[in-house]
């Protein structure tokens, strides 16, 4: 077995290196474009497995589930065909490293402090981890570039904004399209402010007041809008100037950020200077932040962690639009690459999440995809007009499977107890097991009947959600038999396709980095850095840029 680790062939230290990496990805993807164009719900209808090398599928259909789940992480098996191993390992070599960076090396002296219970209220483990790390990094960068005001773009319920305000004592503008989120942010800020005021009173510290995040409700549709909102609010800021940040000549520049190689000094805080920050700013919003950074003199740094690549607007080769979300760099535009929504959606796949599923969850996952693809056959043959509307039937399959799994466990427990009472106390030859003993053939038959029962419930639930309740003429059993023999190919196909996710995300991120590297008017230091633990936070790649 090989995990495909080790040094990467490619670098993105300069614009030419980044462009070379982009071209390498595009060239590699060309013979596998059938994966990108595929709608996996049409797995059975379009016989998608036939587009894949037959030797690969024959090999992988026999692989244990846990081995399949490691494919997106670049793990191969020694007995696989050479061409299959090359596919997986090349994808690994073309993808950005996702393991969390050494934050102390990247930001010397950085202190990531755990959040207190008041600030952490409402956060799950993932969000808490992200906020703790990102707030500390933003605070460090703000002090280095001499900015006092942070613009939290796509602020949601204000978790990041409040930590930056109360813990890092920065002025924060929280922008979000949802007025509800703004109300929640304001309400949380009032509760947090009371806590800090009481804490200060108890310690008899000087009451210096608090910088509470200012919330703005607007949908950021353009660079000009984000510039106008940020600049106008900074001008209205009537807070006193903070103490000048002390210069520290021992400070080192952010590892991986290139441009001026001399030591970076902390600068005096300037109320007119801004840092743009976005924690999973959706779709084009992340790209709008980069454009604003380049076009707005007041913005001294940007920290962007993107997500929802499927929501990116994409430039048509013949329909140039400088405001599209992909591609943004001249280099990627010159390559005339178009991904499409399916490929951009695939870029959101997490290799770490796949690897951590485990056998039971992996089987569960593959089975649900098989049910959905078989259900597409039902729609195709009996309600073809529905397919034209790209029907969404929700996630009821998972609920059905959970309910059924509980019934199976309960049934096995009852059978085991009965078996134990009947045999274990009377026969020395009885097997020492807590599970009932059945002939192998009956288990297989039972599984087949069981899966058909689940498929039937899945279909009827899906049809009900689409308002189609008359199912008397549908031959569910025939369709099940037609698809079941190929259902074991769903797992191999899905994981081979999911393995493209990390390299597609790499392409999107390199395009953004190259956009910054191509700018000649302003000297910019930029880098891509994995800030978070990828198991906790799959979208962990931060694009960080500073102006010299």
């Amino acid at each position: 077995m090989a995990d495909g680790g080790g040094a990467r062939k490619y670098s993105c230290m300069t614009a030419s290196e980044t462009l070379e990496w982009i071209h390498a990805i595009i060239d590699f993807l060309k013979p596998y474009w059938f994966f990108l164009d595929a709608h996996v719900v049409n797995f059975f209808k379009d016989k998608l497995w036939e587009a894949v090398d037959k030797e690969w599928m024959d090999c992988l259909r026999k692989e244990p589930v846990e081995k399949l789940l490691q494919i997106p992480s670049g793990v191969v098996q020694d007995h696989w065909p050479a061409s299959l191993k090359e596919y997986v390992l090349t994808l690994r070599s073309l993808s950005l490293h996702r393991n969390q960076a050494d934050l102390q090396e990247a930001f010397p002296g950085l202190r990531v402090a755990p959040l207190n219970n008041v600030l952490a209220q409402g956060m799950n483990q993932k969000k808490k981890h992200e906020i703790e790390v990102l707030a500390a990094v933003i605070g460090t960068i703000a002090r280095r570039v001499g900015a006092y005001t942070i613009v939290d773009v796509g602020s949601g319920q204000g978790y990041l904004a409040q930590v930056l305000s109360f813990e890092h004592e920065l002025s924060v503008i929280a922008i979000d399209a949802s007025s509800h989120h703004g109300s929640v942010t304001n309400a949380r800020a009032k509760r947090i402010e009371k806590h800090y005021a009481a804490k200060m009173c108890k310690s008899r510290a000087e009451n210096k007041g608090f910088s509470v995040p200012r919330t703005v409700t607007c949908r950021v549709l353009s660079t000009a809008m984000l510039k106008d909102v940020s600049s106008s609010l900074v001008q209205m800021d009537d807070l006193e100037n903070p103490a000048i940040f002390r210069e520290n000549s021992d400070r080192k520049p952010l590892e991986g950020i290139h441009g001026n190689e001399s030591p970076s000094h902390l600068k005096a805080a300037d109320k007119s200077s801004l840092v743009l920050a976005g924690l999973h700013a959706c779709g084009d919003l992340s790209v709008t932040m980069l454009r604003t950074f380049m076009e707005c003199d007041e913005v001294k740094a940007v920290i962007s962690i993107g997500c929802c690549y499927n929501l990116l607007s994409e430039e048509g080769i013949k329909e140039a639009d400088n405001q599209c979300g992909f591609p943004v760099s001249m280099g990627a535009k010159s390559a005339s690459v178009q991904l499409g929504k399916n490929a951009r959606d695939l870029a959101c796949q997490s290799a770490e999440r796949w690897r951590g599923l485990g056998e039971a969850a992996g089987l569960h996952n593959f089975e649900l995809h098989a049910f959905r693809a078989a259900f597409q056959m039902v729609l195709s043959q009996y309600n073809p007009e529905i397919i034209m509307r790209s029907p969404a039937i929700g996630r009821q399959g998972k609920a059905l499977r959970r309910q059924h799994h509980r019934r199976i466990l309960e049934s096995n427990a009852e059978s085991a107890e009965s078996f134990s009472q009947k045999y274990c106390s009377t026969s020395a030859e009885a097997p020492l097991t807590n599970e009932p003993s059945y002939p192998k053939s009956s288990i297989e038959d039972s599984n087949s009947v069981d899966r058909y029962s689940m498929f039937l419930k899945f279909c009827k639930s899906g049809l009900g959600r689409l308002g189609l309740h008359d199912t008397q003429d549908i031959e569910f059993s025939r369709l099940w038999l037609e698809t079941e023999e190929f259902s074991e190919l769903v797992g191999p196909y899905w994981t081979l396709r999911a393995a493209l996710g990390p390299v597609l995300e790499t392409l999107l991120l390199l395009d953004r980095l190259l956009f910054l590297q191509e700018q000649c008017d302003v000297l910019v230091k930029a880098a891509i850095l994995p800030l978070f633990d990828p198991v906790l936070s799959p979208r962990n790649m931060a694009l960080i840029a500073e102006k010299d």
Side-chain angles (χ1 to χ4, degrees):
M1 181 180 74
D3 67 2
R8 299 294 196 270
K9 288 173 56 179
Y10 303 95
S11 175
C12 52
M13 306 277 277
T14 65
S16 60
E17 290 178 346
T18 304
L19 184 57
E20 180 185 3
W21 194 343
I22 287 173
H23 279 294
I25 291 174
I26 294 171
D27 290 342
F28 178 81
L29 289 176
K30 287 176 181 175
Y32 303 107
W33 214 263
F34 60 86
F35 276 130
L36 307 187
D37 289 337
H39 292 268
V40 185
V41 293
N42 295 326
F43 183 77
F44 298 123
K45 184 174 79 70
D46 296 341
K47 298 182 179 179
L48 296 181
W49 63 89
E50 292 184 350
V52 186
D53 188 313
K54 187 176 185 299
E55 187 180 19
W56 293 13
M57 298 302 280
D58 288 343
C59 171
L60 294 179
R61 72 192 302 170
K62 302 171 186 175
E63 282 296 303
V65 172
E66 60 269 24
K67 302 298 184 187
L68 295 178
L69 295 174
Q70 294 174 351
I71 290 176
S73 296
V75 179
V76 301
Q77 308 302 317
D78 293 336
H79 63 275
W80 287 2
S83 59
L84 174 57
K85 288 191 284 189
E86 182 183 8
Y87 169 82
V88 176
L89 294 177
T90 303
L91 282 173
R92 173 80 174 179
S93 72
L94 286 169
S95 300
L96 286 159
H97 281 287
R98 301 193 63 85
N99 292 336
Q100 185 178 19
D102 183 336
L103 298 178
Q104 284 299 322
E105 181 181 347
F107 305 95
L110 180 78
R111 188 175 72 89
V112 179
L115 299 180
N116 60 53
N117 292 336
V118 175
L119 281 173
Q121 186 177 7
M123 299 185 196
N124 58 22
Q125 184 184 11
K126 170 181 177 289
K127 182 64 67 176
K128 187 171 180 288
H129 168 67
E130 292 170 346
I131 298 296
E132 287 174 346
V133 172
L134 185 57
V137 170
I138 292 171
T140 296
I141 291 174
R143 286 165 172 79
R144 178 158 58 213
V145 301
Y148 176 60
T149 301
I150 313 299
V151 181
D152 182 4
V153 184
S155 57
Q157 297 188 36
Y159 295 131
L160 176 62
Q162 286 148 7
V163 173
L164 289 171
S165 291
F166 291 103
E167 280 295 297
H168 295 270
E169 299 179 0
L170 292 162
S171 173
V172 183
I173 301 166
I175 302 177
D176 197 86
S178 168
S179 59
H180 172 69
H181 284 167
S183 299
V184 171
T185 299
N186 291 336
R188 289 188 84 252
K190 287 180 180 178
R191 293 197 300 271
I192 295 169
E193 185 176 11
K194 290 180 180 178
H195 166 78
Y196 276 77
K199 183 179 178 181
M200 188 171 291
C201 181
K202 187 175 181 180
S203 64
R204 297 183 179 180
E206 179 185 354
N207 190 347
K208 60 181 178 179
F210 299 100
S211 172
V212 177
R214 286 163 293 163
T215 58
V216 179
T217 298
C218 74
R219 186 175 296 278
V220 177
L221 300 175
S222 67
T223 301
M225 180 183 292
L226 183 55
K227 286 168 60 179
D228 290 344
V229 170
S230 302
S231 299
S232 62
L233 283 169
V234 169
Q235 292 170 8
M236 293 166 56
D237 192 351
D238 59 358
L239 294 172
E240 294 183 0
N241 279 314
I244 295 176
F245 296 122
R246 291 183 179 178
E247 189 176 277
N248 181 352
S249 59
D250 294 330
R251 246 346 239 272
K252 296 180 181 179
L254 173 62
E255 181 71 22
I257 285 192
H258 303 279
N260 184 352
E261 298 298 337
S262 63
S264 178
H265 298 274
L266 299 184
K267 301 175 184 177
D270 182 350
K271 289 179 66 178
S272 65
S273 295
L274 305 171
V275 173
L276 291 183
L279 175 56
H280 300 148
C282 289
D284 288 351
L285 195 53
S286 292
V287 177
T288 299
M289 291 171 60
L290 302 184
R291 291 194 173 104
T292 305
F293 166 70
M294 292 308 309
E295 296 178 18
C296 187
D297 292 339
E298 292 83 1
V299 179
K300 303 303 182 185
V302 62
I303 302 101
S304 169
I305 303 167
C307 73
C308 302
Y309 303 121
N310 55 306
L311 299 179
L312 280 172
S313 59
E314 189 167 357
E315 180 180 278
I317 293 175
K318 297 179 181 179
E319 300 175 2
D321 181 354
N322 290 330
Q323 296 305 309
C324 279
F326 177 80
V328 291
S329 67
M330 295 304 298
K333 288 178 181 179
S334 67
S336 299
V337 59
Q338 283 184 298
L339 293 179
K341 183 179 181 299
N342 279 358
R344 286 185 275 107
D345 189 50
L346 186 55
C348 298
Q349 289 286 339
S350 165
E352 289 75 20
R353 290 280 174 88
W354 275 90
R355 191 174 59 225
L357 276 179
E359 182 180 5
L363 282 171
H364 174 155
N365 191 293
F366 297 152
E367 190 167 67
L368 288 178
H369 288 303
F371 287 166
R372 179 61 184 90
F375 178 65
Q376 193 78 347
M377 293 280 284
V378 174
L379 295 179
S380 175
Q381 294 188 23
Y382 292 92
N383 300 96
E385 72 284 354
I386 295 290
I387 292 182
M388 300 298 293
R389 304 202 297 264
S390 298
I393 62 170
R395 303 163 70 88
Q396 83 281 2
K398 292 188 177 183
L400 283 171
R401 191 61 194 168
R402 282 195 298 268
Q403 294 167 9
H404 178 72
H405 184 62
R406 283 197 297 269
R407 287 198 298 271
I408 290 293
L409 290 176
E410 292 168 359
S411 174
N412 284 350
E414 292 172 1
S415 299
E417 183 179 0
S418 173
F419 177 84
S420 176
Q421 290 174 349
K422 185 172 182 180
Y423 294 106
C424 290
S425 60
T426 59
S427 172
E429 299 298 321
L432 299 177
T433 176
N434 290 327
E435 297 182 0
S437 177
Y438 300 116
K440 184 178 180 182
S441 60
S442 69
I443 290 178
E444 293 173 347
D445 293 341
S446 174
N447 275 342
S448 180
V449 171
D450 168 54
R451 294 182 74 235
Y452 172 67
S453 172
M454 288 302 301
F455 167 67
L456 194 59
K457 290 179 180 179
F458 185 101
C459 288
K460 290 186 175 180
S461 176
L463 291 168
R465 287 174 178 245
L466 296 173
L468 305 171
H469 301 286
D470 185 6
T471 62
Q472 293 182 353
D473 296 331
I474 299 178
E475 298 179 86
F476 292 107
S477 58
R478 174 183 61 81
L479 289 169
W480 174 249
L481 290 174
E482 288 178 7
T483 59
E484 187 184 25
E485 64 175 305
F486 301 107
S487 62
E488 65 179 2
L489 300 177
V490 169
Y493 184 90
W494 191 270
T495 48
L496 286 172
R497 185 173 182 270
L500 291 164
V503 80
L504 288 167
E505 182 181 25
T506 295
L507 175 60
L508 293 170
L509 293 174
L510 291 176
D511 172 48
R512 297 176 186 184
L513 176 63
L514 182 58
F515 166 76
L516 297 175
Q517 292 173 331
E518 289 172 340
Q519 308 302 315
C520 299
D521 297 336
V522 182
L523 188 57
V524 172
K525 299 179 293 187
I528 299 171
L529 200 66
L531 286 186
F532 311 135
D533 179 344
V535 176
L536 285 174
S537 180
R539 302 276 71 77
N540 72 334
M541 305 299 289
L543 181 53
I544 304 175
E546 301 172 14
K547 290 175 184 171
D548 276 346

